[in-house]
Amino acid sequence: MVFAPGEKPGNEPEEVKLQNASKQIVQNAIRQAVRQVSQESRQRQESTSDNRGTFQLGVGELTKKHEKK
């Protein structure tokens, strides 16, 4: 590692700690974002399948009413 004038090699462990902490923060943020997107995607899929079921039931009900007449 190249040191700027006045910078001491003893500062390296502190810099490494800061870099590791930054990496950890970024990794945690990415994991949280992935979890959130996955959860929202699952909720959209469930909502879509619920709507399809309601639509199909609605069509069936119309058919039954029509048959009664």
Side-chain angles (χ1 to χ4, degrees), residues 3-4 6 8-10 13 15-16 19-20 24 26 29-30 33-36 38-39 43 45 47 49 55 57 61 67:
F3 297 100
K8 298 180 182 176
E15 184 178 331
V16 170
Q19 287 176 347
N20 289 338
Q24 190 66 41
V26 170
I30 291 170
V34 168
R35 269 190 239 117
Q36 183 176 348
S38 297
Q39 183 180 17
Q43 288 174 345
Q45 286 176 346
S47 173
S49 66
F55 178 72
L57 287 174
E61 290 171 5
E67 288 173 357

Side-chain angles (χ1 to χ4, degrees), residues 41-68:
S41 177
R42 254 186 267 116
Q43 288 174 345
R44 269 190 243 113
Q45 286 176 346
E46 290 171 1
S47 173
T48 302
S49 66
D50 287 349
N51 289 341
R52 287 182 190 152
T54 302
F55 178 72
Q56 289 174 349
L57 287 174
V59 170
E61 290 171 5
L62 288 175
T63 304
K64 288 178 185 176
K65 288 180 183 177
H66 179 62
E67 288 173 357
K68 288 181 181 178

Side-chain angles (χ1 to χ4, degrees), residues 1-3 7 10-21:
M1 179 174 237
V2 178
F3 297 100
E7 188 177 355
N11 292 340
E12 185 178 355
E14 189 66 28
E15 184 178 331
V16 170
K17 287 179 188 178
L18 290 173
Q19 287 176 347
N20 289 338

